[in-house]
Amino acid sequence: MTMTPEQAAWFQGTFARLVDNVDQALMGKRDVVALVLSAMLAEGHVLLEDAPGTGKTSLAKALAATVQGTSTRIQFTPDLLPSDVTGVTIYDQTSRRFEFHRGPVFASIVLADEINRASPKTQSALLEVMEESRVTVDGVAHEVGRPFLVIATQNPIEQAGTYKLPEAQLDRFLIKTSIGYPDLAVAERILAGAADRNPSAHLPAIITTGAVADMADLAATVHVDPAVLRYTAQLAEATRDDKATRLGVSVRGSLAMIRIAKVFAAAQGRHFVLPDDVKSLAGPAWTHRIVLDPEAEFGGTTAETVIARVLESVAAPQARSAA
């Protein structure tokens, strides 16, 4: 079943209300909010590469408040254990049985702060839950529920004492983006409200977590023309064939593009995906999946350079609007 124009119009209106609500706490960053919200509705996860103090925690709290969900924050440190993330089974002497104590990963929005400061073993504890939306402890699977969004952060400047995220884990993130610093006018507004240390606490809930899950299911029904699918595959293949790359966009990366492009289209009131949607999302959806050749990287080539070159070299189709 394909989304109807009427459903697309409802989706657009609801999506705009959600962005407006979160924007009250994270001022002047509507594009970032829309991108992160799209990732949540595409049931993916977000990697934020930002300097400290740019509003990452505020974003997570505001999203959770907007959808009547829960939020947790995990500060990743070198001594953090996998069980500190997922939870642990403890023997209860009173009941004489083992009971599972849930870890902080059991929340609607999980902020994994400075994820690259934890050991690879602890980083990998997130892999199953990010991919399967469940954790397995002592052979027993525990579902985390819907919606479930991991917002992982890493500091792009200070790399001392950090563990670089492996390509396999980077590929698990649907998008990579940054919030950045506000402009002068917005900074003045933020400073004017400095007395309110937790603006997210006053945000009204717009929809329930159940409605978010329904929106995610509805977005999955957006039509994608075969020509757009072929275009996406051609772009991904071109990143793998580019002379500056050692590793291009994987099949998982192509699937991620289609998932978020459907949400992106619905958020604009369309029940079909355009090639321009793919172009707009190529940066956040694909740059973190590209591994550059060391020589090309030394010469100044970036993942953004490769994406721009690929978008220019691969001709976009004239896709039909709907099936």
Side-chain angles (χ1 to χ4, degrees), residues 30-314:
R30 290 183 59 86
D31 290 344
V32 177
V33 172
L35 198 57
V36 173
L37 183 59
S38 296
M40 182 172 71
L41 293 174
E43 299 191 295
H45 307 285
V46 178
L47 179 63
L48 289 180
E49 192 168 81
D50 252 321
T54 52
K56 299 181 287 290
T57 302
S58 297
L59 172 61
K61 288 183 176 180
L63 273 175
T66 298
V67 301
Q68 287 188 2
T70 56
S71 67
T72 57
R73 178 177 179 275
I74 309 172
Q75 183 63 54
F76 278 69
T77 56
D79 60 346
L80 192 74
L81 299 175
S83 59
D84 295 329
V85 175
T86 59
V88 64
T89 301
I90 299 176
Y91 182 74
D92 189 328
Q93 293 184 343
T94 303
S95 61
R96 295 185 177 181
R97 61 182 180 183
F98 288 95
E99 294 184 356
F100 178 64
H101 291 244
R102 294 186 170 194
V105 78
F106 286 87
S108 306
I109 314 291
V110 178
L111 180 65
D113 206 8
E114 294 190 282
I115 187 175
N116 56 334
R117 293 204 175 278
S119 67
K121 184 176 182 179
T122 302
Q123 290 177 10
S124 66
L126 278 176
L127 287 179
E128 180 191 11
V129 67
M130 287 172 61
E131 189 73 16
E132 306 292 340
S133 295
R134 67 182 181 186
V135 298
T136 303
V137 178
D138 295 332
V140 180
H142 305 273
E143 302 289 334
V144 296
R146 299 172 71 195
F148 175 65
L149 171 68
V150 172
I151 302 177
T153 75
Q154 58 182 8
N155 187 337
I157 304 300
E158 186 180 355
Q159 299 298 323
T162 63
Y163 300 86
K164 185 179 178 180
L165 295 180
E167 284 70 26
Q169 186 160 334
L170 283 172
D171 210 29
R172 295 302 201 280
F173 289 100
L174 188 69
I175 61 170
K176 176 186 175 184
T177 187
S178 63
I179 298 176
Y181 292 112
D183 59 33
L184 183 58
V186 173
E188 290 177 357
R189 291 170 53 198
I190 294 173
L191 294 177
D196 187 358
R197 297 177 62 87
N198 186 17
S200 302
H202 312 301
L203 291 181
I206 302 300
I207 58 177
T208 64
T209 53
V212 174
D214 291 339
M215 287 185 71
D217 291 337
L218 182 60
T221 66
V222 170
H223 173 71
V224 185
D225 191 270
V228 177
L229 295 176
R230 188 179 308 110
Y231 178 58
T232 303
Q234 288 172 336
L235 288 174
E237 185 176 32
T239 65
R240 297 191 290 268
D241 293 340
D242 192 278
K243 62 182 183 299
T245 63
R246 291 179 55 198
L247 189 68
V249 175
S250 66
V251 175
R252 182 188 285 119
S254 299
L255 290 170
M257 171 62 79
I258 297 302
R259 284 163 53 197
I260 195 169
K262 287 183 176 184
V263 178
F264 191 80
Q268 298 181 61
R270 285 185 277 104
H271 60 290
F272 52 89
V273 174
L274 294 175
D276 284 346
D277 298 330
V278 176
K279 290 181 179 180
S280 299
L281 294 166
W286 281 352
T287 52
H288 61 292
R289 304 175 195 272
I290 293 175
V291 178
L292 295 171
D293 179 80
E295 186 174 342
E297 189 172 13
F298 182 77
T301 301
T302 64
E304 289 80 6
T305 304
V306 173
I307 294 294
R309 189 157 56 213
V310 164
L311 290 175
E312 186 177 351
S313 63
V314 179

